[in-house]
Amino acid sequence: MFKMQKYQHIAKKIYQLLPQYEHMTDEQLQQQTAILRTKLQTGSHLASLLPEAFAVVIEADKRVLGLTPYYVQVLGGIALFFGNIAEIKTGEGKTLVATMPLYTRALLGYKGNYLITANQYLAERDGQSMGKVFEWLGLTVGIGGSDDDDFETKYRLYNADIIYTTHSKLGFDYLFDNLGSELSEQVVTRFNFAIIDEIDAVLLDGAQTALVISGSPKVQSNYYQISDWFVKSLQKDDYEYSDDKRRVWFTKSGLLKIAQYFDIDDIYDQQYIDLYRHIVLALQANYLKQKGRDYVVDKGKVLLLDVVNGRTMPGVKMQGGIHQAIEAKESVEVTSETKILGTISYQSLFKQFKSLSGMTGTAKTDEKEFMETYHLEVISIPTNKPTQRVDKSDKIYVSNQTKIEQSIEAVKQGIRDRRPVLIETGSVSMSDLYSLVLLQHKIPHNLLNAKTAVREKQIIKDAGRAMSVTLATSMAGRGTDIKLTDEAKNNGGLKVIGTERMTSKRIDNQLRGRSGRQGEPGESVFFVSLEDKMIVENSPKWVRRTRKSLEHKIAAKKLDSKSKLNSQRFKKVMDKAQKKFGNAEVQSRKNTLAFDTILSGQRERIYTARNKVMAGDQGYFEVIITQSIRRVIEKFCDDSKNISYEAIADFVFNNMQSDYPLKDILSVKKEELNKKRAIDFLNELSEDLLDKSLKRIRDEQQLNHFKKLVILRSIDRAWVDQLDYLQQLKNMVNGRGMAQHKPINEFGKEARRHFFDMEDQIYTNIFRSMMLSAIIIKSDGAIDIEFP
């Protein structure tokens, strides 16, 4: 409340200033950008200039776009400027709201001011329309294009004052930046200010979907098929679920069957670790991942479904082998696992911004999590016109069959009332089933789910006509704007019918928000049954007992099957079930964030090290190379229990020179062979061989580039192995809960230990590459390098 009063006070100042800008000529108004920047350069604080900056852009919006922001939109813009989440209802003009804080932040002259949208279409649409205002006021605008833009296009994009792009493009470009070998090739270098549109979808619903750049295929395993065959043979007592149904593991009988099936004594033995990993993956694929909810199979390919909107995600695969396990489950071609070259979560990506804000129509229900995780406060912005939509209470029935029948009657009533009807389902499979029911009742309709997404634009266009019936997954919950015809408005507006409550109240509210936009009439109602998955999995035992009792009464004709359950007790069941599921979701996101925090710390150290190498000079490279020689030789001598001529020879042949004369090693007198003598001998030899290796390159610039390339490649090879290890480790430690270990602690401990091993591997890679790389000098003076 205090913040809102503060923002209202600022808004009052803005409106007091507006008349003086309204009387300016276009040229005078356009000069205000330079005037405001001069004030900032002479000591004024940006916040103190907010009323002037907002007034300038409000007047520019009116002149360039013919749109004047409403008072509530100005409030939303102020909330965004100060780093909050502005809860702005659907249809209230979020795109225009963003122009005010974006312009004001860009006045500082710092690059890296972003409007992050859900997809490329929205980035281009909003960037082209709103960008006219910024360019008219003298600022540059970048609009994020496709993921395969060339360097020049990316450079122009990220060097603009204001950037419209998608969260995935920003993330992938950042990862690709940190795979290069030159600092001058990096484009995503400044994280100043960001407004994330539909911020709850990105930071909450997308929290467990990491951005991943994959490289060359790993050696393909032949365990996927046999593990799938085994898992499909299990009985219910061979495995069990966690309380929240998010994890599954083998019981004692399941472990016994593994031993019998694969004819092994102990599946936990180190030699069977890869087999056990594949069996666990097959268990998860068969009993946690559901077709139609988590993925679909289209033309022989497994396509993941976005948990938020039900859309397919072409090209995106789950990591760690789970995607291949699902392919084996569905009997389609098992694709190759690939090595991870870079990965980052949306949490880690957006935490790099100095100031972060966001817009959405539904955030208040999760404001506690936003505050705890991202330190973002949710500010509810009132609508410009009072909401006329009628949100009816849930209609609760005993069985799914009755629920569907009664919802069909509601659809028919909507048609009789000559209203448009939007029916929402929770999954692709449920939408397909419901479509068949509508056809049985001879109700013509449009079906919008992952399979019909190519027709989405036309389907949504038709959804606002009187008597039209649209059946959709939550795809129709975001990024869509159902526009009503005049007849539809006069007949009561859009009628939203939910066939089940969704996984959170926030998603329910998104679906309700399809109706009643900008003060239009509308109605929403959810049909619920005691057989709904949400209730069955998240309700106390008395609900199951009551349902069976009611079923007996219906069978005995003592209760009409069409009777609604009006008891307050039943009405609270759904809310409690949803809350329980939501708590599990929150905990899952916290776990994901905890895992990612550990990975993020390591990634930051690696990327910082790479940048130092790319910016380094000859002297810096000398320090690293000298350090690697010392570390590798000392580690070899420390790890060797008994230093022998054979061990030294093997070390020299494998790491320094494969054809080094054996007699020169054997020339060391036997009585002198100890740790100190071995270190001295190897140091002297490495110094001599390194000098000979480097003398092959006479050009100083080429020599410097060679050293840099060796160090970067050594870091990258070790980091790729580390990423792969951490992915496998995360899958494995999640199964240790049965042994009273905390998965996060186990992961952190093992990740830390392996990170130090990785550092040793980096030094070894540098050592070997400096000694063993083949250098081919071409006729034009250029060199080719063949690494060992």
Side-chain angles (χ1 to χ4, degrees):
M1 179 61 73
F2 171 75
K3 277 194 172 183
M4 181 55 81
Q5 289 175 346
K6 174 187 174 184
Y7 299 159
Q8 288 170 340
H9 179 67
I10 294 172
K12 185 178 179 181
K13 288 183 178 179
I14 294 169
Y15 278 93
Q16 287 172 346
L17 288 171
L18 263 177
Q20 74 181 66
Y21 294 102
E22 290 172 349
H23 290 99
M24 287 183 180
T25 64
D26 286 355
E27 186 179 353
Q28 289 173 328
L29 188 62
Q30 289 171 313
Q31 290 172 351
Q32 296 307 304
T33 300
I35 292 170
L36 290 170
R37 280 185 163 173
T38 301
K39 288 183 178 181
L40 288 169
Q41 290 165 4
T42 53
S44 296
H45 293 291
L46 186 62
S48 67
L49 295 179
L50 185 152
E52 295 172 60
F54 268 50
V56 168
V57 76
I58 288 170
E59 182 60 22
D61 284 337
K62 183 166 67 174
R63 297 189 190 187
V64 177
L65 304 174
L67 299 171
T68 302
Y70 299 123
Y71 174 76
V72 291
Q73 290 177 307
V74 175
L75 283 179
I78 297 169
L80 292 173
F81 174 85
F82 285 107
N84 300 288
I85 296 173
E87 187 181 63
I88 303 170
K89 300 302 180 187
T90 302
E92 291 294 307
K94 294 196 291 288
T95 308
L96 192 62
V97 170
T99 60
M100 294 171 275
L102 280 173
Y103 171 77
T104 308
R105 286 283 179 177
L107 287 174
L108 283 170
Y110 301 142
K111 308 294 183 181
N113 302 290
Y114 292 84
L115 191 289
I116 307 292
T117 66
N119 57 57
Q120 187 178 332
Y121 164 74
L122 291 175
E124 290 177 354
R125 185 198 70 183
D126 297 348
Q128 288 168 2
S129 58
M130 301 298 119
K132 295 174 185 175
V133 177
F134 302 128
E135 289 172 344
W136 192 82
L137 288 170
L139 301 180
T140 56
V141 178
I143 301 175
S146 62
D147 293 330
D148 55 358
D149 287 340
D150 59 26
F151 173 76
E152 289 299 325
T153 303
K154 287 182 180 180
Y155 183 82
R156 286 195 302 271
L157 169 66
Y158 292 106
N159 272 275
D161 293 311
I162 295 168
I163 304 159
Y164 282 79
T165 191
T166 66
H167 40 69
S168 60
K169 178 168 176 57
L170 174 64
F172 281 126
D173 285 346
Y174 172 73
L175 290 175
F176 277 117
D177 269 0
N178 289 283
L179 293 175
S181 58
E182 300 291 340
L183 279 177
S184 59
E185 294 174 356
Q186 293 187 348
V187 290
V188 187
T189 56
R190 287 156 294 196
F191 294 87
N192 185 35
F193 174 67
I195 300 173
I196 306 176
D197 194 13
E198 306 294 1
I199 190 171
D200 52 331
V202 177
L203 295 188
L204 298 186
D205 300 324
Q208 298 185 63
T209 305
L211 298 170
V212 177
I213 294 177
S214 298
S216 57
K218 295 165 64 176
V219 177
Q220 183 70 336
S221 168
N222 58 3
Y223 285 144
Y224 285 113
Q225 197 64 66
I226 193 172
S227 298
D228 186 68
W229 290 338
F230 166 70
V231 165
K232 282 185 165 71
S233 72
L234 296 176
Q235 304 298 314
K236 284 191 175 181
D237 59 351
D238 294 328
Y239 59 90
E240 63 178 318
Y241 293 99
S242 60
D243 290 339
D244 58 10
K245 302 286 185 181
R246 292 174 176 275
R247 289 192 293 154
V248 63
W249 51 77
F250 292 104
T251 59
K252 288 183 179 179
S253 65
L255 293 171
L256 182 61
K257 284 188 177 180
I258 291 175
Q260 294 170 342
Y261 191 92
F262 294 97
D263 192 23
I264 55 179
D265 295 326
D266 182 11
I267 189 62
Y268 294 121
D269 192 286
Q270 185 67 27
Q271 63 180 314
Y272 300 123
I273 188 168
D274 197 39
L275 172 61
Y276 179 63
R277 179 175 80 89
H278 282 80
I279 297 172
V280 169
L281 289 171
L283 184 72
Q284 294 171 349
N286 278 275
Y287 300 114
L288 292 182
K289 304 301 180 183
Q290 293 185 18
K291 185 177 179 180
R293 185 195 70 184
D294 300 301
Y295 66 91
V296 293
V297 178
D298 183 34
K299 298 177 182 177
K301 293 183 178 180
V302 171
L303 299 177
L304 300 185
L305 291 174
D306 191 312
V307 293
V308 185
N309 54 38
R311 303 175 196 274
T312 58
M313 298 189 289
V316 178
K317 289 186 177 183
M318 284 179 276
Q319 296 299 308
I322 186 66
H323 200 94
Q324 286 71 22
I326 294 172
E327 290 171 332
K329 166 191 172 183
E330 296 296 339
S331 300
V332 299
E333 181 185 356
V334 177
T335 57
S336 297
E337 281 189 76
T338 52
K339 293 181 179 179
I340 300 173
L341 301 182
T343 180
I344 192 169
S345 70
Y346 287 128
Q347 297 108 310
S348 294
L349 178 65
F350 288 111
K351 278 190 171 184
Q352 296 187 70
F353 279 93
K354 295 176 184 175
S355 181
L356 184 65
S357 61
M359 305 182 288
T360 180
T362 48
K364 205 66 178 174
T365 51
D366 296 276
E367 62 178 332
K368 182 180 177 184
E369 185 177 358
F370 276 121
M371 179 56 75
E372 289 179 350
T373 306
Y374 302 103
H375 309 295
L376 292 170
E377 188 172 341
V378 177
I379 306 294
S380 292
I381 306 300
T383 56
N384 185 49
K385 296 179 181 178
T387 302
Q388 292 189 50
R389 186 184 67 244
V390 178
D391 296 325
K392 294 188 174 181
S393 57
D394 294 350
K395 296 185 183 297
I396 308 171
Y397 299 92
V398 176
S399 70
N400 266 329
Q401 182 178 344
T402 305
K403 175 191 76 172
I404 292 173
E405 289 172 353
Q406 294 304 302
S407 66
I408 291 291
E409 288 303 314
V411 173
K412 291 178 178 178
Q413 184 59 53
I415 295 171
R416 287 194 292 268
D417 294 338
R418 301 187 65 81
R419 301 174 66 177
V421 178
L422 175 65
I423 309 162
E424 298 281 359
T425 65
S427 65
V428 174
S429 53
M430 185 62 185
S431 67
D432 288 337
L433 173 64
Y434 204 94
S435 180
L436 291 174
V437 176
L438 287 173
L439 290 174
Q440 287 173 352
H441 285 266
K442 298 180 180 179
I443 299 175
H445 61 280
N446 282 319
L447 173 61
L448 177 57
N449 61 23
K451 299 175 183 176
T452 62
V454 291
R455 295 178 49 239
E456 179 178 2
K457 190 174 181 180
Q458 185 60 45
I459 291 172
I460 292 299
K461 184 179 178 181
D462 294 338
R465 293 185 295 105
M467 299 177 66
S468 68
V469 176
T470 307
L471 171 63
T473 59
S474 52
M475 282 180 72
R478 287 191 188 274
T480 55
D481 193 4
I482 297 174
K483 295 183 179 179
L484 303 183
T485 62
D486 290 338
E487 183 184 5
K489 292 178 186 177
N490 294 333
N491 293 334
L494 181 66
K495 184 173 186 174
V496 175
I497 296 174
T499 61
E500 59 190 303
R501 290 275 288 276
M502 303 301 161
T503 53
S504 75
K505 186 162 283 189
R506 175 166 49 83
I507 298 176
D508 287 348
N509 291 339
Q510 289 166 15
L511 301 181
R512 293 185 194 277
R514 294 302 96 205
S515 176
R517 57 183 295 279
Q518 293 185 343
E520 292 175 345
E523 177 187 324
S524 73
V525 60
F526 281 84
F527 287 79
V528 181
S529 91
L530 297 184
E531 291 181 330
D532 283 355
K533 185 174 182 290
M534 178 67 69
I535 292 180
V536 170
E537 294 183 355
N538 298 284
S539 295
K541 293 179 180 178
W542 71 262
V543 176
R544 192 179 306 113
R545 293 195 300 266
T546 303
R547 188 187 78 223
K548 289 181 178 178
S549 173
L550 291 171
E551 287 171 347
H552 289 312
K553 286 184 179 181
I554 290 171
K557 308 289 186 183
K558 293 180 180 179
L559 180 68
D560 186 352
S561 64
K562 296 180 181 179
S563 298
K564 286 189 296 183
L565 305 178
N566 294 317
S567 165
Q568 279 297 118
R569 197 181 188 197
F570 286 119
K571 290 180 180 179
K572 290 179 180 179
V573 163
M574 187 65 239
D575 289 334
K576 288 182 177 179
Q578 207 172 45
K579 187 174 182 180
K580 182 180 178 182
F581 185 88
N583 289 340
E585 288 267 285
V586 171
Q587 188 57 49
S588 179
R589 287 194 287 267
K590 284 182 177 178
N591 290 342
T592 299
L593 186 60
F595 281 121
D596 191 67
T597 300
I598 296 168
L599 173 59
S600 180
Q602 295 193 5
R603 178 177 53 242
E604 189 174 330
R605 289 182 65 179
I606 290 294
Y607 285 179
T608 299
R610 290 186 93 260
N611 286 342
K612 284 179 70 176
V613 172
M614 287 190 285
D617 55 17
Q618 183 79 10
Y620 181 66
F621 298 151
E622 291 294 336
V623 171
I624 293 178
I625 292 167
T626 302
Q627 194 174 13
S628 69
I629 292 172
R630 179 180 59 79
R631 287 273 295 258
V632 171
I633 291 173
E634 287 182 359
K635 188 174 189 305
F636 161 70
C637 293
D638 287 341
D639 292 347
S640 299
K641 293 180 181 177
N642 295 305
I643 297 176
S644 63
Y645 294 112
E646 291 78 8
I648 293 175
D650 185 63
F651 178 82
V652 171
F653 295 153
N654 283 304
N655 297 285
M656 300 172 73
Q657 184 176 316
S658 58
D659 58 352
Y660 187 79
L662 185 62
K663 63 181 179 63
D664 290 351
I665 300 175
L666 298 177
S667 65
V668 183
K669 291 182 180 179
K670 204 165 201 174
E671 59 270 17
E672 294 177 348
L673 188 55
N674 54 38
K675 180 178 176 180
K676 183 179 183 306
R677 181 69 183 105
I679 289 175
D680 289 343
F681 169 74
L682 290 173
N683 275 328
E684 289 172 14
L685 179 59
S686 64
E687 186 177 330
D688 179 55
L689 293 178
L690 178 63
D691 185 57
K692 290 178 181 177
S693 174
L694 297 181
K695 279 183 177 177
R696 294 175 296 173
I697 306 174
R698 296 177 181 177
D699 183 87
E700 192 70 24
Q701 192 173 355
Q702 286 182 331
L703 180 61
N704 209 39
H705 183 71
F706 169 68
K707 291 176 181 178
K708 179 173 74 171
L709 212 58
V710 164
I711 298 170
L712 286 177
R713 186 175 181 274
S714 300
I715 293 172
D716 292 343
R717 286 179 63 193
W719 178 235
V720 167
D721 291 340
Q722 175 74 349
L723 288 174
D724 185 63
Y725 172 78
L726 293 178
Q727 181 65 54
Q728 309 304 336
L729 177 64
K730 188 161 77 168
N731 289 339
M732 298 297 287
V733 299
N734 269 322
R736 295 192 191 180
M738 291 289 286
Q740 304 304 312
H741 291 280
K742 289 186 177 181
I744 300 298
N745 292 348
E746 287 287 296
F747 182 82
K749 184 169 63 177
E750 291 292 321
R752 178 180 171 82
R753 181 190 63 77
H754 207 268
F755 186 83
F756 292 127
D757 291 344
M758 180 194 69
E759 286 186 330
D760 289 334
Q761 187 58 49
I762 290 172
Y763 285 119
T764 300
N765 290 343
I766 294 172
F767 184 88
R768 296 186 74 245
S769 294
M770 294 303 299
M771 303 290 184
L772 299 176
S773 292
I775 296 174
I776 303 164
I777 301 176
K778 297 182 178 181
S779 57
D780 62 356
I783 62 171
D784 279 345
I785 305 167
E786 292 181 0
F787 292 98

